[in-house]
């Protein structure tokens, strides 16, 4: 398994469009995709919860940050909302992709982001100034990779079109987030 993931990770970092094409070419069953969404959301919720236990934040955060199950539902819901928002905004802008490769790509990118986040957490305890620099680099490099993935998976003409799709999808996610939070009952808690 690691023998397949490491070259894909290297390709993602060096040539994101080629990596996106590789992911899109693999036929992945729908139930495997949904398990991937659940797994990556659970791992992210676990890492976020553990981070807050190890180093409590200086500011007060909404209550769901301290409830791993609610955090899991929120993260999984956000991923699904984000993928569908990307798909529909991309289609509105002339994109030709499908939802399944887009979902597989987002799960893969979330996995890589989780690995990078764990590295930044380790650096935070060892070398805090370097952790801040690494966090900034990961953010901007991750955005560049995401733009390339969206452009490739949705068959968009270029990165500017992908940026417009990301902006439109972000607006869709913000609107959907209000609905998701009310669905899982967090608005009743003052979130």
């Amino acid at each position: 398994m690691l023998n397949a993931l490491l070259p894909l990770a290297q390709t993602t970092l060096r040539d994101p469009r080629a990596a996106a094409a590789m992911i899109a070419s693999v036929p992945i069953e729908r139930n495997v995709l949904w398990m991937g969404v659940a797994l990556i959301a659970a791992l992210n919720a676990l890492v976020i919860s553990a981070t807050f236990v190890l180093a409590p934040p200086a500011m007060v955060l909404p209550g769901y940050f301290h409830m791993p199950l609610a955090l899991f539902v929120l993260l999984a819901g956000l991923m699904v909302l984000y993928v569908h928002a990307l798909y529909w905004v991309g289609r509105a802008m002339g994109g030709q992709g499908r939802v399944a490769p887009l979902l597989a790509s987002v799960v893969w990118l979330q996995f890589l982001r989780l690995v990078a986040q764990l590295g930044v957490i380790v650096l935070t305890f060892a070398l805090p100034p370097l952790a801040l620099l690494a966090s900034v680099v990961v953010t901007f490099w991750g955005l560049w990779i995401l733009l390339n993935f969206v452009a490739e998976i949705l068959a968009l003409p270029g990165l500017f079109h992908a940026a417009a799709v990301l902006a439109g999808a972000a607006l869709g996610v913000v609107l959907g987030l209000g609905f998701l939070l009310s669905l899982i009952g967090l608005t009743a808690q003052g979130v």
Side-chain angles (χ1 to χ4, degrees), residues 45-87:
L46 180 65
V47 167
I48 291 169
S49 297
T51 301
F52 290 148
V53 168
L54 292 173
M59 59 185 198
V60 177
L61 295 172
Y64 59 84
F65 277 100
H66 304 290
M67 297 183 291
L69 184 58
L71 192 56
F72 162 77
V73 170
L74 181 65
L75 291 172
L78 277 174
M79 255 193 295
V80 172
L81 275 173
Y82 187 58
V83 165
H84 283 85
L86 285 172
Y87 174 75

Side-chain angles (χ1 to χ4, degrees), residues 18-153:
M22 289 168 58
I23 291 171
S25 70
V26 176
I28 302 173
E29 293 181 25
R30 194 172 295 272
N31 63 336
V32 173
L33 284 175
W34 289 114
M35 283 192 297
V37 168
L39 177 64
I40 201 66
L43 290 173
N44 270 311
L46 180 65
V47 167
I48 291 169
S49 297
T51 301
F52 290 148
V53 168
L54 292 173
M59 59 185 198
V60 177
L61 295 172
Y64 59 84
F65 277 100
H66 304 290
M67 297 183 291
L69 184 58
L71 192 56
F72 162 77
V73 170
L74 181 65
L75 291 172
L78 277 174
M79 255 193 295
V80 172
L81 275 173
Y82 187 58
V83 165
H84 283 85
L86 285 172
Y87 174 75
W88 288 108
V89 172
R91 295 283 294 192
M93 294 188 67
Q96 301 298 318
R98 297 182 342 254
V99 173
L102 195 56
L103 184 59
S105 295
V106 168
V107 168
W108 171 246
L109 293 176
Q110 285 296 312
F111 171 74
L112 290 180
R113 190 191 64 76
L114 180 65
V115 170
Q117 183 179 354
L118 288 172
V120 169
I121 289 170
V122 169
L123 277 176
T124 300
F125 291 114
L127 300 163
L130 189 57
L132 180 60
L133 178 63
S135 180
V136 169
V137 168
V138 164
T139 299
F140 285 107
W141 201 346
L143 180 60
W144 178 73
I145 290 170
L146 179 60
L147 285 170
N148 279 284
F149 263 68
V150 168
E152 180 67 28
I153 296 289

